[in-house]
Amino acid sequence: MLKIVLIDDDPISTFITEKLITKYIKEPCRFFKFENATDALQDLNEIHPNYLFLDINMPEMTGWDFLEEFSPADYQPEIYILSSSVDEKDINKANNYSLVKKYLSKPLVNKYIKTIFN
């Protein structure tokens, strides 16, 4: 079973992301949703996700802060950044993290999901 983590302080964005993934994924999956990155960091080593969708602009701990702290030892999730920012600096910064597969703009659209899960 695939394990998918969604880290986003916007419940509407999380809802849309989960529904889109569920529509296109071909195998059983389980979602783990976090409204803040701090809580996610505490639980991820027990979850061992296959995919992680991460918002950048969150209070308390940003997505960038999360990426600096996150260091999985025995698993390598595919991380996709979801952001409403289209700033080139953010896109380029995302490329500096080896675990980040792609920077995606919100709202998430069907073509991104098809590409990730097909």
Side-chain angles (χ1 to χ4, degrees):
M1 175 176 292
L2 289 180
K3 296 175 188 173
I4 301 169
V5 169
L6 308 176
I7 305 172
D8 195 330
D9 63 324
D10 178 2
I12 294 170
S13 178
T14 300
F15 177 81
I16 292 169
T17 302
E18 181 179 0
K19 292 301 172 197
L20 278 173
I21 292 171
T22 302
K23 182 178 176 183
Y24 287 102
I25 200 160
K26 293 177 171 42
E27 57 189 287
C29 66
R30 180 169 177 206
F31 289 91
F32 299 85
K33 296 173 260 189
F34 297 91
E35 290 187 9
N36 68 69
T38 305
D39 290 345
L41 271 177
Q42 293 174 4
D43 294 347
L44 283 177
N45 284 329
E46 294 174 23
I47 297 170
H48 290 240
N50 303 93
Y51 298 93
L52 192 151
F53 293 84
L54 175 66
D55 185 23
I56 292 299
N57 297 313
M58 294 181 287
E60 195 177 319
M61 176 183 262
T62 68
W64 302 124
D65 296 334
F66 171 87
L67 289 169
E68 290 297 322
E69 300 259 339
F70 184 56
S71 58
D74 55 347
Y75 65 100
Q76 296 293 314
E78 289 186 17
I79 298 178
Y80 295 89
I81 292 178
L82 295 176
S83 180
S84 52
S85 170
V86 290
D87 187 341
E88 272 303 307
K89 287 185 266 181
D90 286 337
I91 296 167
N92 291 333
K93 186 173 183 176
N95 292 329
N96 292 328
Y97 295 93
S98 61
L99 288 175
V100 174
K101 294 291 267 184
K102 194 161 180 106
Y103 185 99
L104 306 172
S105 59
K106 287 183 183 178
L108 198 57
V109 293
N110 292 341
K111 72 175 185 174
Y112 294 147
I113 296 298
K114 287 179 184 177
T115 303
I116 293 168
F117 293 105
N118 283 337

